[in-house]
Amino acid sequence: MSAPTYARPTSPDEAVSAVADDPSAVFLAGGSNLVDHLKLGIVAPSTLVSVAGLGLDEITEQDGGLRVGARVRNSDLASNPQVRQRYSVLSRALLSGASAQIRHQATTAGNLLQRTRCVYFQDRTVPCNKREPGSGCPALEGYGRYNAVLGASDRCVAVHPSDMAVAMLALDAQVGVLGAGGARSLPIDELHRLPGDDPSRDTTLEHGDLITHVDLPAQPEGARSDYVKVRDRASYAFALVSVAASLTVDDDGTVTDVRVAWGGMAHKPWRATLLEDAMAGGSVTAENVRTACARELEQASPSQQTAYKLPMVTEATAMLLTKLAAGEGVDR
């Protein structure tokens, strides 16, 4: 590991310029993902541009919702009273990810931008299209239990590892970005991308783009939300599948608003829009949810190693939505 240059700008504009002007520079936030990749030799930036001196570390009211600064620690976001009360799916998702020590180090923007934990991506002795475009994807024929079943391509079958991003997708979050061309906002569903022919790019951001905040919009009155994560062990494991959902029903149990996002299923957090369309205006029963999941999963392409994910995500979704409809919490 060669030592890169370290820069500590004092404003977001200065940070953007420092990265945009150097093709090999990268932003450094909590470092819980980037530092690992530096040690493994997956990345070798010329300059680390710290965002520690930029502020961007507050949670504030914004248009009836909340604005979360890019540098807000995952631990602070999970424990914030307004987040716990109004966006419980987000708090639950954060608490299900990593250890308390990592949550205290990890940041909002860093969590969104973390890279896959695919074993082949992290092993420099084997080819990887995400690491070296055109070199191949051994996960297609090798160990593939974690592989994507939705939106994958013959170039990459890796999945996105974030729990927080799945919850934010179910909340219709908006991501604030500052780039060389100025500030802009984009729906979180447009932040991450599917692999297509170029799996080396995880997001739609351009080099030098800095995430400054995430806006959590006001939720429908009476909405209930929660997060379910299925994993190999009770803690410190990435999701085999996960489900984030927000549900609103009227007095007779008819669905007036439903939003479902899946983790562990694709190269990006997956918004289950076909499932949502199938559930809208109906009632929440386990059978109705299973039928809606089947509609979403018609586009899935599982392998022998990943076929288990389809019934697993279906039953996790059915459990979550029926409990939300009944006003119950999800057992931990």
Side-chain angles (χ1 to χ4, degrees):
M1 172 180 168
S2 58
T5 302
Y6 182 77
R8 187 163 180 166
T10 57
S11 72
D13 286 331
E14 185 182 346
V16 168
S17 295
V19 174
D21 293 342
D22 182 347
S24 297
V26 296
F27 293 114
L28 173 65
S32 57
N33 188 219
L34 177 60
V35 172
D36 286 343
H37 290 170
L38 287 168
K39 292 176 179 178
L40 292 169
I42 295 172
V43 294
S46 61
T47 305
L48 297 177
V49 179
S50 172
V51 299
L54 306 185
L56 309 178
D57 57 358
E58 295 183 352
I59 302 173
T60 56
E61 294 283 343
Q62 180 77 17
D63 298 329
L66 293 179
R67 172 162 290 184
V68 181
R71 290 188 56 248
V72 170
R73 303 290 176 178
N74 284 179
S75 55
D76 293 334
L77 185 57
S79 63
N80 180 273
Q82 291 298 319
V83 173
R84 294 177 63 186
Q85 178 182 357
R86 296 156 59 184
Y87 306 96
S88 57
V89 61
L90 179 56
S91 180
R92 296 277 198 174
L94 286 163
L95 292 173
S96 73
S99 65
Q101 293 89 342
I102 291 177
R103 289 197 299 271
H104 188 63
Q105 183 72 9
T107 64
T108 298
N111 190 305
L112 288 176
L113 299 179
Q114 65 181 302
R115 308 202 72 188
T116 183
R117 264 56 175 196
C118 175
V119 295
Y120 298 106
F121 173 70
Q122 298 189 98
D123 183 356
R124 292 183 63 227
T125 67
V126 299
C128 172
N129 285 325
K130 179 174 282 295
R131 196 177 62 245
E132 299 175 25
S135 62
C137 178
L140 290 169
E141 302 296 335
Y143 177 75
R145 186 163 172 265
Y146 280 85
N147 288 354
V149 297
L150 291 165
S153 73
D154 61 359
R155 303 295 179 90
C156 183
V157 288
V159 297
H160 195 274
S162 175
D163 295 293
M164 185 193 76
V166 180
M168 286 187 169
L169 181 57
L171 293 170
D172 285 332
Q174 296 279 321
V175 180
V177 179
L178 179 65
R184 67 186 190 277
S185 181
L186 70 158
I188 193 168
D189 196 32
E190 296 179 10
L191 173 64
H192 301 102
R193 60 185 296 278
L194 295 176
D197 293 331
D198 184 12
S200 65
R201 295 184 60 218
D202 296 330
T203 73
T204 59
L205 299 181
E206 299 297 330
H207 183 71
D209 281 352
L210 174 70
I211 293 178
T212 57
H213 61 269
V214 175
D215 286 332
L216 305 176
Q219 298 300 290
E221 184 176 354
R224 306 183 186 114
S225 66
D226 211 332
Y227 185 76
V228 169
K229 180 177 182 178
V230 185
R231 46 192 162 176
D232 283 325
R233 56 184 187 272
S235 62
Y236 314 152
F238 294 101
L240 298 172
V241 303
S242 65
V243 185
S246 175
L247 177 70
T248 310
V249 296
D250 63 18
D251 291 339
D252 66 1
T254 301
V255 174
T256 58
D257 183 81
V258 59
R259 282 165 280 162
V260 176
W262 288 339
M265 298 289 285
H267 193 259
K268 59 180 284 186
W270 186 268
R271 185 67 178 264
T273 55
L274 297 178
L275 181 158
E276 294 171 357
D277 290 345
M279 292 295 301
S283 59
V284 181
T285 66
E287 195 55 39
N288 285 349
V289 177
R290 292 185 184 109
T291 299
C293 285
R295 181 177 176 185
E296 186 73 39
L297 291 170
E298 286 177 358
Q299 56 195 310
S301 299
S303 68
Q304 185 175 3
Q305 294 186 65
T306 58
Y308 76 91
K309 289 193 175 191
L310 276 60
M312 182 178 283
V313 76
T314 296
E315 293 308 310
T317 305
M319 180 190 74
L320 179 55
L321 289 180
T322 54
K323 287 201 170 189
L324 289 176
E328 301 175 13
V330 175
D331 296 333
R332 284 300 185 270

